[in-house]
Amino acid sequence: MTLTETVSRVDPLSSMQPLASRVRICDPGASTTIQDGGRAGYAHLGITASGPVDRAAAHLANRLTGNAEDAAVFENLFGGLTLDLTESRYVAVTGAPVEVRVDGRVVREPERVFLRAGQRLSVGRPTAGIRVYVSVAGGVRAEKTFGSASTDALSGLGPRPLTAGDEFELSAATDEVPDVPLELARSRYPNGTVDLRFRWGPRDSLFDLKDRQSLMSTRWTVGSNSNRVGVRLAGPPLAIGSVDLRSEGMALGAIQVPPSGEPIIFLADHPVTGGYPVIGVVTEDDLDLLGQAAVGSSVRFSELYDKFP
């Protein structure tokens, strides 16, 4: 028998790689996107960082499943997400508190669930807050653009919003269950007024004392046209008068005041430049809470003073 004959008779199936573990979207709910650590460092190209709106919740979901904090997760709006796996793995559900079911049965501790292959996990409607984060052990593998798999609602970069039937490969999972207290996932989500700490500037000098006081004394209302780009607030308008500003860089948490006089607070998919004055910037710790505020929620500002020795 020649070498050629020997090679030709090798069973082709013996050299095939095992099929990768996958997660399948059975129902995306109202809206579900993929979000990871984001694409920071591209503002000079007009590209914002994106990433999860509630970063603390996304990071915690990854910690609960043993993933790196910036691994890709599912960001779900208003619940309704249903998925299953081809391999048994831990799944974490954080963010807005929701009822979680596995094959129709309510899970007692939904923050971390061991989901067996073929079982179906369903996320209910939030009882407070609006955004739910689902992490699968190993992390979701999705095509990256500028180093990130995050979906950017403003530019359209990244994967499209998910639809029923979408499948994604999973990276290798850790063998150990991380020692992370589940109580960390049962925390602060707005059911009343959202208090936002902020620092003045860079264009607060364009507003008179009355308007600066009004910013803090008003109980603003979250508008219905809010999204991942920013939260639009409704209330007595501030007067910016005739302002002719050159386009300026916009930071995460910037409180921009357009001609309507009603502030917009920029979130994960905000534009990197703008021509309307920014009266202040919300501290990043409070942006997670703002990202969970439902339409009609009340928002109140309080100025933050840095203390120096």
Side-chain angles (χ1 to χ4, degrees):
M1 182 180 293
T2 66
L3 177 61
T4 303
E5 290 174 326
T6 303
V7 172
S8 66
R9 294 188 182 191
V10 172
D11 183 355
L13 295 180
S14 65
S15 60
M16 291 181 63
Q17 297 294 323
L19 293 176
S21 300
R22 304 178 73 86
V23 54
R24 181 171 66 99
I25 303 300
C26 306
D27 187 343
S31 174
T32 299
T33 61
I34 293 177
Q35 301 295 334
D36 59 14
R39 46 183 69 88
Y42 294 99
H44 64 294
L45 299 178
I47 299 173
T48 192
S50 294
V53 172
D54 186 346
R55 289 164 299 170
H59 292 170
L60 178 58
N62 276 322
R63 289 176 58 198
L64 286 167
T65 53
N67 299 340
E69 285 191 345
D70 61 353
V73 299
F74 297 122
E75 181 181 88
N76 167 255
L77 187 65
F78 301 133
L81 172 64
T82 302
L83 56 81
D84 60 20
L85 308 176
T86 61
E87 178 184 271
S88 301
R89 295 200 180 193
Y90 279 100
V91 176
V93 181
T94 63
V98 292
E99 180 181 81
V100 174
R101 293 175 178 263
V102 172
D103 288 345
R105 295 184 178 181
V106 177
V107 177
R108 182 174 300 178
E109 293 185 327
E111 296 83 7
R112 182 166 55 203
V113 178
F114 186 71
L115 190 66
R116 299 190 180 279
Q119 288 186 319
R120 184 166 292 191
L121 181 142
S122 301
V123 174
R125 188 171 180 83
T127 56
I130 60 175
R131 288 184 169 89
V132 181
Y133 293 85
V134 179
S135 168
V136 182
V140 176
R141 299 177 63 181
E143 184 176 354
K144 295 185 177 183
T145 306
F146 290 99
S148 171
S150 289
T151 299
D152 185 337
L154 185 63
S155 69
L157 291 175
R160 57 168 170 73
L162 305 189
T163 59
D166 285 346
E167 294 189 7
F168 299 92
E169 290 187 2
L170 297 169
S171 297
T174 180
D175 293 331
E176 298 181 1
V177 180
D179 186 19
V180 180
L182 299 183
E183 290 75 14
L184 290 176
R186 306 164 188 166
S187 55
R188 77 292 179 269
Y189 286 98
N191 223 349
T193 299
V194 181
D195 291 310
L196 300 178
R197 297 166 296 170
F198 78 100
R199 294 180 175 87
W200 294 106
R203 297 297 181 182
D204 55 300
S205 61
L206 296 177
F207 299 83
D208 61 24
L209 178 59
K210 178 182 177 182
D211 278 332
R212 294 198 299 272
Q213 291 176 335
S214 179
L215 178 72
M216 293 188 294
S217 62
T218 299
R219 282 185 180 266
W220 301 92
T221 302
V222 174
S224 60
N225 51 354
S226 301
N227 52 34
R228 281 181 47 87
V229 175
V231 172
R232 296 176 179 267
L233 302 179
L238 306 180
I240 64 173
S242 178
V243 175
D244 184 18
L245 290 176
R246 292 184 178 182
S247 187
E248 299 180 313
M250 294 289 117
L252 180 70
I255 309 168
Q256 187 185 69
V257 184
S260 68
E262 294 181 312
I264 302 170
I265 306 173
F266 284 143
L267 297 182
D269 292 347
H270 68 86
V272 297
T273 61
Y276 301 131
V278 172
I279 193 172
V281 180
V282 175
T283 182
E284 290 193 16
D285 288 343
D286 291 348
L287 287 178
D288 292 336
L289 280 178
L290 179 63
Q292 293 286 0
V295 172
S297 299
S298 295
V299 171
R300 182 172 53 196
F301 292 100
S302 61
E303 55 189 337
L304 182 66
Y305 292 102
D306 292 319
K307 295 181 178 180
F308 298 96

